C-alpha cells in the first residue's frame, strides 16, 4: 500500500510528525521534493531481499569460535529499519515484510531534510550497483531504548547483491555503518566496544562463512551469519531468575525486549496489543508468546527493569 495514494493530508501529517517528534521543520520546497521523489514508491521486494535472521549471544566471547571466517563487529543502533531498493522506481519495506507506515515516512522525511545530498547519492548508487540496502534511522529524538545521543541520522548496515551480502570493505556508500574487523580476540578494541554498549542498543557480529557453518540456522542470511549482543536482554534474564520464573528466560527476555520497543513507539497501546504486534513482526517468538501470555503480562507489570526504563523515557519525553 502506497501511503501517498488517496491521502491528500499526508504531507501535512508528515510535517507535524517532524515538528513534534523530531524537532525539524522542513520547508515547503523540501516537502514537495520529498513527495515527488517518493510518491510512487512500492513494497515489491522479494522475501529473500527482506528476510533477516539474527541469533542472540550471552557474551561477546562466543565469537571466538567463528574467527577463522571474516568477522566484523558493528554498533547496534536503536531506531527503525527500512529495506530499500532502487531501479526504475523506489521499493521500500520493513525487514519483517510489513509495509512502511506514516512514522517511517516521517523519519525518512527528517533524514531527507538533514541529509538530502547523501540520501540522493545513496539512492543513485543503489540503482547503479543493483543492490538492496538495509537502513537504520536513529537519533536522540527517536530512540525507543533512550540510548542514542546524536541528532537524527541514518546508517546503511547491510548491502545485498544477488543473494550475497557484501562485506563492509567491499563497497563504499554514504553513511555506511561503523565497523571493526576482528581476526583474533586481541583485535577487539574494548574501549570502542564499550562506547557502543553505553550509547547504542548493543553490538552486532557478522560472520561471512559462505554457508559453511550449515548447522547455524537461526542467524543464517545467505553467506552471512548475524548475531547480536544486547545488555538489556541480559538484565531481563537476570531479573526473571531472581523472580524464580519457571520459563525459558532467554525467550522471555527477547520477547519483553521487543515489547518495550513496540510500547515506546506508541504508548497508547495495551499490553495485549503490544504482544500482538510483536508476534506479528517476530514469527520466531510467536509460539512462546502464545503459550506464555499470562507470564509475560505478569512480568511486564512486576519488572523493575522495565519500570525504570519507561520512567526514564517518560521523564525525557
Amino acid at each position: 500500500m502506497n501511503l501517498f495514494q488517496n491521502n491528500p493530508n499526508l504531507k501535512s501529517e508528515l510535517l507535524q510528525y517532524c515538528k513534534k517528534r523530531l524537532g525539524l521543520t522542513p520547508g515547503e520546497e523540501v516537502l514537495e521534493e520529498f513527495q515527488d521523489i517518493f510518491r510512487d514508491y512500492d513494497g515489491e521486494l522479494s522475501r529473500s531481499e527482506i528476510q533477516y535472521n539474527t541469533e542472540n549471544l550471552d557474551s561477546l566471547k562466543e565469537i571466538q569460535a567463528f574467527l577463522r571466517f571474516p568477522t566484523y563487529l558493528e554498533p547496534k543502533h536503536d531506531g527503525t529499519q527500512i529495506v530499500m531498493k532502487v531501479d526504475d522506481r523506489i521499493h521500500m519495506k520493513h525487514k519483517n515484510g510489513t509495509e512502511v507506515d506514516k512514522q517511517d515516512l516521517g523519519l525518512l522525511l527528517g533524514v531527507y531534510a538533514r541529509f538530502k545530498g547523501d540520501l540522493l547519492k545513496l539512492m543513485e548508487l543503489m540503482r547503479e550497483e543493483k543492490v538492496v540496502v538495509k537502513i537504520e534511522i536513529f537519533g536522540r529524538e527517536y530512540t525507543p531504548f533512550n540510548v542514542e545521543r546524536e541528532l537524527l541520522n541514518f546508517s546503511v548496515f547491510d548491502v545485498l547483491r544477488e543473494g550475497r551480502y557484501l562485506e563492509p570493505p567491499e563497497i563504499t556508500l554514504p553513511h555506511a555503518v561503523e565497523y571493526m574487523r576482528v581476526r583474533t580476540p586481541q583485535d577487539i578494541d574494548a574501549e570502542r566496544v564499550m562506547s557502543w554498549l553505553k550509547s547504542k542498543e548493543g553490538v552486532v557480529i557478522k560472520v561471512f562463512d559462505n554457508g559453511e557453518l550449515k548447522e547455524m540456522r537461526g542467524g543464517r542470511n545467505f553467506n552471512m551469519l548475524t548475531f547480536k549482543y544486547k545488555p538489556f536482554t541480559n538484565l531481563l534474564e537476570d531479573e526473571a531468575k531472581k523472580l524464580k520464573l519457571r520459563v525459558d528466560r532467554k525467550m522471555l527476555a527477547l520477547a519483553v525486549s521487543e515489547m518495550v520497543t513496540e510500547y515506546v513507539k506508541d504508548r497508547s497501546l495495551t499490553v495485549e496489543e503490544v504482544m500482538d504486534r510483536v508476534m506479528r513482526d517476530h514469527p520466531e517468538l510467536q509460539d512462546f508468546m502464545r503459550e506464555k501470555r499470562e507470564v509475560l503480562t505478569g512480568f511486564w507489570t512486576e519488572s523493575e527493569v522495565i519500570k525504570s526504563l519507561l520512567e526514564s523515557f517518560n521523564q525525557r519525553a
Side-chain angles (χ1 to χ4, degrees):
M1 179 184 67
N2 185 316
L3 293 178
F4 281 107
Q5 295 172 356
N6 303 318
N7 190 349
N9 298 320
L10 181 61
K11 193 168 67 170
S12 61
E13 291 171 359
L14 296 180
L15 177 59
Q16 286 301 310
Y17 179 86
C18 282
K19 284 182 177 179
K20 291 182 178 180
R21 187 65 191 266
L22 307 180
L24 294 171
T25 308
E28 187 64 29
E29 183 178 342
V30 170
L31 281 166
E32 290 295 338
E33 289 176 358
F34 180 81
Q35 181 172 262
D36 288 344
I37 291 169
F38 289 95
R39 188 193 305 274
D40 295 324
Y41 82 87
D42 65 40
E44 293 178 7
L45 286 162
S46 68
R47 182 62 187 165
S48 61
E49 292 172 323
I50 301 164
Q51 188 171 351
Y52 197 74
N53 300 313
T54 309
E55 288 191 15
N56 290 270
L57 296 181
D58 294 324
S59 168
L60 288 178
K61 292 181 180 178
E62 294 180 47
I63 71 171
Q64 293 185 41
F66 307 113
L67 295 183
R68 65 185 185 276
F69 302 102
T71 300
Y72 299 84
L73 268 61
E74 300 173 359
K76 188 178 190 311
H77 290 290
D78 181 30
T80 285
Q81 297 177 10
I82 296 176
V83 185
M84 187 180 294
K85 179 173 71 174
V86 180
D87 40 39
D88 59 334
R89 64 194 309 179
I90 299 168
H91 309 261
M92 295 190 296
K93 218 158 194 177
H94 279 297
K95 65 173 184 177
N96 54 31
T98 56
E99 302 292 336
V100 297
D101 56 26
K102 289 180 184 178
Q103 175 179 270
D104 303 323
L105 288 178
L107 290 167
L108 201 57
L109 172 58
V111 164
Y112 183 81
R114 291 205 68 215
F115 302 103
K116 171 183 172 180
D118 292 346
L119 184 58
L120 293 178
K121 181 179 179 182
L122 172 63
M123 292 167 64
E124 179 60 22
L125 287 171
M126 289 161 58
R127 186 185 63 78
E128 292 176 355
E129 298 287 345
K130 295 180 172 58
V131 294
V132 179
V133 304
K134 293 180 172 65
I135 299 170
E136 180 110 10
I137 301 176
F138 60 94
R140 67 190 187 199
E141 305 90 346
Y142 176 74
T143 168
F145 280 90
N146 198 24
V147 294
E148 297 286 347
R149 292 294 175 262
E150 62 180 287
L151 293 172
L152 187 74
N153 206 333
F154 75 97
S155 177
V156 179
F157 68 92
D158 267 318
V159 183
L160 177 67
R161 178 189 283 148
E162 296 179 349
R164 177 180 175 273
Y165 280 93
L166 303 184
E167 293 184 37
E170 287 187 65
I171 188 169
T172 301
L173 296 173
H175 292 241
V177 70
E178 184 182 358
Y179 68 87
M180 181 192 310
R181 174 73 190 265
V182 180
R183 294 178 176 83
T184 70
Q186 290 70 38
D187 290 335
I188 298 177
D189 184 334
E191 185 175 346
R192 198 171 168 197
V193 170
M194 283 303 298
S195 73
W196 294 345
L197 294 176
K198 289 178 180 178
S199 63
K200 307 296 175 189
E201 192 180 354
V203 176
V204 173
I205 302 94
K206 294 176 181 175
V207 180
F208 292 84
D209 73 324
N210 291 310
E212 293 182 45
L213 297 171
K214 299 185 186 304
E215 73 279 8
M216 303 293 294
R217 303 305 305 169
R220 168 67 56 208
N221 300 279
F222 297 112
N223 60 310
M224 177 180 73
L225 289 171
T226 310
F227 304 90
K228 59 185 175 182
Y229 171 63
K230 297 169 61 176
F232 181 65
T233 59
N234 289 358
L235 289 175
L236 293 171
E237 279 191 64
D238 291 343
E239 189 174 32
K241 186 176 181 180
K242 289 178 183 177
L243 293 173
K244 298 181 179 180
L245 296 182
R246 301 180 67 179
V247 67
D248 185 328
R249 298 182 186 116
K250 178 173 286 190
M251 289 295 287
L252 179 140
L254 295 175
V256 172
S257 174
E258 297 298 341
M259 287 170 63
V260 170
T261 299
E262 286 298 327
Y263 178 73
V264 171
K265 289 178 183 177
D266 184 352
R267 286 175 290 162
S268 69
L269 298 174
T270 66
V271 66
E272 294 291 328
E273 291 170 331
V274 167
M275 285 192 281
D276 288 341
R277 287 196 180 190
V278 173
M279 285 192 287
R280 178 199 68 190
D281 294 344
H282 295 273
E284 74 279 8
L285 297 174
Q286 286 177 1
D287 291 343
F288 174 82
M289 294 185 72
R290 286 195 188 100
E291 183 181 344
K292 303 298 181 182
R293 202 171 183 102
E294 290 186 10
V295 176
L296 287 166
T297 302
F299 185 77
W300 180 266
T301 304
E302 298 174 23
S303 169
E304 293 299 326
V305 173
I306 295 174
K307 286 179 185 176
S308 176
L309 178 68
L310 295 183
E311 283 174 7
S312 172
F313 176 82
N314 288 335
Q315 289 170 3
R316 178 177 175 274

